[in-house]
Amino acid sequence: MKRTAAALILASLALSGCGLRPLYSGGSKGAVAQSLGQVEIAPIPGKAGWLVRNAIADRLGTVSQSGAVYRLEVELDDQITGFGVRRDDSVTRERRSLRARYRLVEADKGTVVLDATAGSDAGIDIVSSEYATIAAENTALENLSQVIADQIVTRLALYAQRTKDAPPAGKP
């Protein structure tokens, strides 16, 4: 029992010195959350754009457009590719791919401070019911939009963390 307790204490001491810090320390009042709240999301065309924009906005907790320090510009590429072909040339499976190229721009200067991509794929079974196939394609798009939004917001949070910790210009 004493060995287990001693091992736990040593492990907790070792982990406390590893340098890991919570990304969202301070909760909604923390520096990263405050930075994310100052991002305006530019309109994204299409159904996929509407879904991605809403998912990002839900995660960012954005402020009013007039108080935005940054503008997020997103371009989407949504494709459905058929594969798994039968002898009669009918497709049995599809892959829906959603790719995003996004840029974080300083609103007042127009300077691009972050330029990156995000993407994800989903497999869809083609069944005899056309309605079921269309429903599966729409569900895949909704799920992919959530994944893309998570990837974008995570990258924005890492950027906010990195710039928060950077020393002011001219200081070591």
Side-chain angles (χ1 to χ4, degrees):
M1 183 68 170
K2 288 184 179 183
R3 282 186 177 171
T4 306
L8 286 174
I9 291 172
L10 287 175
S12 65
L13 290 174
L15 286 176
S16 67
C18 71
L20 291 176
R21 294 171 300 174
L23 185 60
Y24 293 104
S25 63
S28 62
K29 303 291 185 211
V32 171
Q34 293 294 318
S35 294
L36 293 178
Q38 297 174 341
V39 176
E40 169 193 355
I41 308 163
I44 310 168
K47 180 179 180 178
W50 181 81
L51 289 168
V52 169
R53 187 177 191 282
N54 285 342
I56 293 171
D58 288 345
R59 287 157 178 76
L60 291 181
T62 56
V63 295
S64 67
Q65 305 293 3
S66 60
V69 175
Y70 297 103
R71 182 178 66 255
L72 180 64
E73 300 171 350
V74 181
E75 299 169 8
L76 294 176
D77 180 28
D78 178 24
Q79 294 190 5
I80 298 178
T81 307
F83 62 98
V85 182
R86 290 189 186 127
R87 288 184 185 172
D88 64 353
D89 287 333
S90 62
V91 175
T92 61
R93 190 131 172 95
E94 293 177 334
R95 177 178 44 227
R96 186 162 206 159
S97 300
L98 186 60
R99 304 283 181 257
R101 177 170 184 221
Y102 58 96
R103 288 173 293 284
L104 187 64
V105 180
E106 289 185 48
D108 56 344
K109 298 177 188 173
T111 307
V112 176
V113 295
L114 179 65
D115 189 349
T117 59
S120 191
D121 300 323
I124 303 164
D125 287 327
I126 305 299
V127 295
S128 59
S129 169
E130 189 174 333
Y131 174 79
T133 301
I134 291 171
E137 290 172 352
N138 287 332
T139 300
L141 179 60
E142 292 169 10
N143 293 338
L144 292 172
S145 298
Q146 298 293 322
V147 171
I148 295 290
D150 286 339
Q151 291 176 8
I152 291 172
V153 172
T154 299
R155 184 69 189 269
L156 294 178
L158 290 171
Y159 171 79
Q161 176 76 28
R162 189 176 66 237
T163 57
K164 171 188 81 76
D165 290 341
K171 294 190 178 184

